Structures are given as C-alpha cells and as structure tokens.
Amino acid sequence: MSLRQLTPGADAIDVSSLRVSYDDVTALEHVSVRVRARTICGLIGVNGSGKSTLFKALMGLVQATSGTVRIFGAAPKDARKLNAVSYVPQAEDVDWTFPVSVRDVVMMGRYGSLGPSRRPRPADRAAVAAALERVGLVDLQHRQIGELSGGQRKRAFVARGIAQDAGLLLLDEPFAGVDKASEAGLTSLFKDLRDEGKTILVSTHDLAGIPQLCDEAILLHQRVLAHGRPETVLTNENLALAFGTALSDVPEGHHGDR
C-alpha cells in the first residue's frame, strides 16, 4: 500500500448517509461513522443488524443504494487496488476443502503487489515469511488450510492481511470458534498492529471483552445506535436498544453478530 496515493491525514473509515438494500430488504440505513487511523474499533450488533453488509460496503463488494464510503479518503475499489484494506471473512464464508496451503493463503495478500508475471519476488516471499512468523504458523505453512484448527485458520487469514501490508484490517468474527488461548494471542497481535500504525475494525460477540480489546466501539442495528469509547457505548440503555438486555445479563460468548 502506498499511503502517498491516498489522502494524507484522512480517517481510515469515513461513511456518510450509507444505505444498502437487497431487493426490498434494507440492510443499512442512514449509517454515518468515522474511524480514525491507528484505532481498534469494535463492531457490535445482533444477528441481521448489518455488520457483514457494512464490511462488504467498505470493501466495495455491495452496491450502496445511497451515501458514500471512503477508505483513507479513497473509494473502496480504489483502496483495494492500492492494497489499503484487507478483509478477514467469517469462517463459514471460506471453502476449507480448497487445495491450498497455509503459505498459499498468506501469499494471496501479496497478489496486488505482484508484477504482470504474478511470480513472487524475494520481497514478497520475505513478507509472507515475516507474516507467518508473526502469527506463529511457520511450522504449519505447508499444511492444507482446512487441516488447521479454528484458531490457526483465523491466524492464517490475519497473516494474509499482514503480508498485504494493508492499513485497514476488517475482521469479521475473528474470535468465533477459537479457544481462550488463541483469543488472547489474537488480541495481543491486534494491539501490536495498532501500535505499528494499522487500523482494525473487528466484529465480535464477546461484549465483555470489548473494553480490553478496543479503543472505541460501534453499536449497529441497521443504523448506528452509538459510537464512542467502549464505556460510553456499552451502557445498559444502549444495549437494551440493540439486544433487549443489559450487559450484565449477556452470557460470556454470546453470539450477537452477523
């Protein structure tokens, strides 16, 4: 990614009056939100609240009915061409039987930087090796991706984003199906990436873990119900609007996303 080709000082995410509809169903309506660079932002909401649609809008994978989306000041498709944004999908959106190795998956993050021959250069191989080292998958890099555990699979896709050197990482349910040790490792890694200048938007069902992980949070239910510091977003009043319950009543590991 070349930040020189993007708007200097622009917010990592700038969404204004976004509306997305599928046929007669409105997924997002009047969504306006800005996320500063070098921030970990949690995205929270019940099933069907529009979180996955927002991720796809940020990637330019769905057509907005109205409104605008900017990534570091650029349109999503332009940001993707510049490798400025990387998307880690939910586990159910991935074909784990596809015959690719862990290293192949991580190398996919370099495709936008490869020349016309599409052959990895030394710099590409070095970036992949460094990313595998960061997520602790060097010893498993030649395994077929579907042979990994849930936590290892998530780390492989995070490594793809690291190898891509994307300024913005969109993580859709990275903690779903992983054990506590893997979750703690990912949390530490995300904070390190933030400290190195990356911006992370992460959807998570673990509401109690938001204050430890995130600098700020967005509560979504087709539109933005609240956005700010976790302690100002995760109030009983706000959670009652989104979930119909208070934080103290939400069991650990509650699945409130999609």
Side-chain angles (χ1 to χ4, degrees):
M1 180 188 70
S2 175
L3 289 175
R4 291 189 297 272
Q5 294 175 270
L6 301 171
T7 303
D11 289 322
I13 296 171
D14 186 354
V15 177
S16 179
S17 301
L18 178 66
R19 186 174 189 270
V20 177
S21 298
Y22 301 108
D23 297 325
D24 296 329
V25 178
T26 298
L28 296 172
E29 187 170 17
H30 303 306
V31 171
S32 295
V33 67
R34 290 184 176 184
V35 177
R36 296 172 291 108
R38 300 171 178 258
T39 298
I40 301 177
C41 181
L43 185 61
I44 313 162
V46 298
N47 292 349
S49 62
K51 296 183 304 304
S52 290
T53 298
L54 179 57
F55 278 128
K56 291 174 182 176
L58 293 171
M59 287 293 294
L61 301 177
V62 296
Q63 182 67 41
T65 306
S66 59
T68 60
V69 177
R70 292 292 182 268
I71 305 297
F72 298 111
K77 290 183 179 179
D78 293 332
R80 278 168 49 201
K81 290 178 182 177
L82 293 170
N83 293 317
V85 56
S86 178
Y87 178 45
V88 177
Q90 293 189 37
E92 54 262 40
D93 295 332
V94 178
D95 180 3
W96 300 111
T97 66
F98 199 72
V100 292
S101 68
V102 173
R103 187 176 183 278
D104 291 335
V105 168
V106 180
M107 183 62 75
M108 291 175 186
R110 302 296 300 175
Y111 284 177
S113 303
L114 299 181
S117 68
R118 293 298 180 186
R119 293 181 178 177
R121 299 161 297 182
D124 301 310
R125 289 189 285 271
V128 168
L132 288 165
E133 181 72 31
R134 288 291 299 271
V135 302
L137 291 179
V138 173
D139 292 342
L140 300 176
Q141 63 180 300
H142 299 299
R143 293 269 190 96
Q144 192 270 337
I145 187 66
E147 296 177 359
L148 270 58
S149 69
Q152 291 167 341
R153 292 174 180 180
K154 296 293 175 63
R155 282 188 276 150
F157 276 87
V158 171
R160 184 183 67 177
I162 294 173
Q164 182 179 327
D165 195 24
L168 173 63
L169 299 176
L170 306 176
L171 310 179
D172 201 353
E173 291 268 25
F175 302 124
V178 306
D179 58 29
K180 285 297 183 182
S182 295
E183 182 174 339
L186 287 170
T187 295
S188 178
L189 175 60
F190 297 158
K191 289 182 177 181
D192 287 345
L193 292 172
R194 184 265 322 270
D195 293 344
E196 293 166 13
K198 307 300 184 185
T199 307
I200 298 174
L201 180 65
V202 51
S203 70
T204 174
H205 55 259
D206 184 7
L207 302 185
I210 289 285
Q212 178 184 2
L213 170 66
C214 300
D215 304 302
E216 57 188 65
I218 298 169
L219 191 59
L220 189 70
H221 192 86
Q222 275 76 57
R223 63 183 66 201
V224 176
L225 300 179
H227 178 205
R229 298 286 300 176
E231 61 268 22
T232 66
V233 171
L234 298 177
T235 64
N236 287 341
E237 181 180 1
N238 287 338
L239 292 172
L241 288 174
F243 294 93
T245 186
L247 179 59
S248 59
D249 298 325
V250 177
E252 185 177 2
H254 170 71
H255 288 267
D257 288 350
R258 297 278 196 288

